[in-house]
Each structure stands twice: as C-alpha cells, then as structure tokens.
Amino acid sequence: MGENGTVTRTTTRAAKIDQVCADAIGVARGAITEVDAADIGEHLEVVPEGDRVVTHFFESLLAGYRGWRWAVTVTRVPRSRHVTVCETVLLPGPDALLAPGWLPWSERLQAGDLGVGDLLATSPDDERLAPGYVLSDDPAVEETSWELGLGRPRVMSREGRADTAQRWYDGDHGPEAPISTAAPRNARCGGCGFYLPLAGQLRQMFGVCGNFYAPDDGRAVSADHGCGAHSEALVGVAEPPVDELPTVYDDSEVEEVAVSRAPGSVETTEPGEEYGHS
C-alpha cells in the first residue's frame, strides 16, 4: 500500500532459462572432480536460477547416497558464450535416503542406555526435580527430612513423580502387563505378603516386590499388578474321581427275626411315662 492509500502490486518474474548455459552439460559434468567419473550418473534436469544462471542435476552413483544428485551451477556474462562454473554440491533428491534429524544427546537417551562407568549429568532446570531446601509438597518427605535432619540438594517434584508413576503404570510392571493379565484376578500385588509399599504419595499406588521367585523381584510394581507367585495363591490338587457303586441287596435273602419283649416292657397302646419314657 502506498502513502496515498493506493494498493501496489508486485509481481515476481519467473527466471527464464538461458539456452547457452543449459547446453553446457559437458562443462557441468567435468566440474565434478570430487569423485570418479563412474560415480556420476546420467543428466537429470536443468533448473533456471536467475538471468543466465542455471543448475544442472546429475544422478549420483555413490554407495550409501541413494537418491542423491550432483548439482552444478553455471553462468555466463552478458553477450558472452563462455560458461563458467559457480559451485558444485551433492544434494538429496526427492527420494533420497536421509539420516534422522539431529537431536540433542539429552533427547536421544533411552531407558537402559546408561552403562557401567557412564556419567549422566542432570540439567539444573530439570522439571522433574525441585530444590531440596524448599518445602516439599510430599508430607512424608518433609516428616522424614525433619526427623532425621537429612537434606538433599534436590528432590523429586510433583511433575517428576507424576511422570514416573505413569511410566511405571504403563510399563511391564503395571496391570496391563502380560504376566498380570494371565494371573488370577485376585492375585494382585496390593494384597500380597511380599509387597513392600513405597513411602510418600507413591505409596498409594506402588510398592516393591520382595518375592525371590517372582519375575518382578526387586522392582517397583503397581498395587493392581499381579503374577502367579502371589503369597495367597493356593494351588488346589485335584483328587482322582471315586466311582461309587450302587448298594445292591437281594430281598429274597432277608430273614425275618421275631423280637420278644423283655419283662416290664410297656405296650404301645399305653400312655407314655414321665420324662419321655415309653
């Protein structure tokens, strides 16, 4: 928009290909001296860069550079048919095999990367930690620190504990782990005698397994995790079935025996005596 309020339009003129520079394919190919001639493939295309400036692209046959292209930019001065080389460079093409994007070492680290003798420095502004001299938001931590008179430069922050709890819960020691889903429904760690609850706020959800025979021994597990080594998991021994034979008797073998009444017996027609005697 101009000073008087009028709108001005600016148009960009497309670069016109210079035919003299475009025909200099041999000059461009000869400028690639970094590699052997066998590593330079066929001519792919020519792209205008500006007035009397074009870039020639050649296929790269270098091992490990699949899809890359040699780019040679050439130019010439006005009213001259002599072409000169500006630069030569190896560039990735549309289908080039590229290395992954660069990441800082702190973002490349994965669980288990730390080996014996390695040192891992923690950033001063790590959001998982909070200064130890600031009152913690975990009552159990405050009580322990006050009681024992111990202090640490930094303690785990609320965000750090939340991230840890979520990672543990979603991992191999949470309720969705294969060993947990295959265990009996009532074989949960929270009700196991080998379950050692953690201190602080994590106590509500996590503990450490202390069963020597369990695969989670010495690891933090969620209270609703489970396995077949539960302290109250009783294995019922199935007893062999017993075939019960029916009672068989022969009526023809029943012998009738006459019973004589002893002296002093009471007839059934007489009323019963006191205390229930008859």
Side-chain angles (χ1 to χ4, degrees):
M1 180 175 291
E3 296 179 357
N4 57 357
T6 60
V7 177
T8 59
R9 296 181 179 177
T10 59
T11 58
T12 303
R13 181 171 61 90
K16 184 179 179 180
I17 189 169
D18 184 83
Q19 194 59 42
V20 177
C21 292
D23 294 339
I25 299 177
V27 175
R29 181 184 292 271
I32 307 175
T33 58
E34 294 86 351
V35 295
D36 295 335
D39 295 327
I40 307 172
E42 63 180 8
H43 184 263
L44 300 176
E45 63 176 336
V46 56
V47 177
E49 304 289 354
D51 293 338
R52 296 178 299 277
V53 181
V54 301
T55 298
H56 292 272
F57 289 94
F58 299 88
E59 180 185 8
S60 173
L61 302 181
L62 286 173
Y65 286 86
R66 187 185 67 190
W68 286 63
R69 306 185 299 177
W70 289 104
V72 182
T73 303
V74 298
T75 187
R76 70 182 179 91
V77 298
R79 294 186 299 275
S80 174
R81 302 188 67 84
H82 179 69
V83 177
T84 58
V85 177
C86 298
E87 64 176 352
T88 304
V89 66
L90 183 63
L91 297 176
D95 301 325
L97 181 63
L98 301 176
W102 182 86
L103 290 175
W105 68 269
S106 58
E107 299 181 18
R108 295 197 303 267
L109 284 175
Q110 300 295 327
D113 286 349
L114 191 68
V116 178
D118 293 340
L119 297 178
L120 178 60
T122 305
S123 173
D125 57 352
D126 195 323
E127 63 178 9
R128 299 172 301 169
L129 298 173
Y133 54 81
V134 177
L135 291 178
S136 172
D137 53 7
D138 191 335
V141 173
E142 278 302 302
E143 181 181 352
T144 304
S145 299
W146 178 266
E147 217 173 66
L148 302 180
L150 301 178
R152 292 174 287 170
R154 287 189 289 180
V155 295
M156 220 166 186
S157 63
R158 184 185 298 271
E159 291 78 7
R161 292 197 304 273
D163 291 344
T164 300
Q166 192 65 52
R167 184 174 65 255
W168 288 354
Y169 199 78
D170 296 338
D172 294 337
H173 311 295
E176 300 301 325
I179 192 172
S180 180
T181 56
R185 297 185 61 181
N186 61 342
R188 301 298 99 182
C189 293
C192 180
F194 299 106
Y195 181 74
L196 305 172
L198 296 182
Q201 293 180 342
L202 292 180
R203 180 188 183 92
Q204 302 174 8
M205 293 182 59
F206 298 99
V208 176
C209 176
N211 189 345
F212 174 78
Y213 299 102
D216 297 314
D217 180 41
R219 296 178 173 88
V221 294
S222 65
D224 51 358
H225 182 68
C227 73
H230 194 278
S231 63
E232 309 307 320
L234 301 179
V235 181
V237 179
E239 297 181 357
V242 178
D243 296 333
E244 295 184 1
L245 299 178
T247 303
V248 179
Y249 58 90
D250 189 357
D251 294 343
S252 62
E253 297 297 330
V254 176
E255 179 181 359
E256 295 183 359
V257 178
V259 178
S260 61
R261 296 183 178 277
S265 299
V266 181
E267 297 294 337
T268 57
T269 57
E270 297 180 4
E273 297 179 359
E274 295 182 0
Y275 303 108
H277 296 289
S278 59

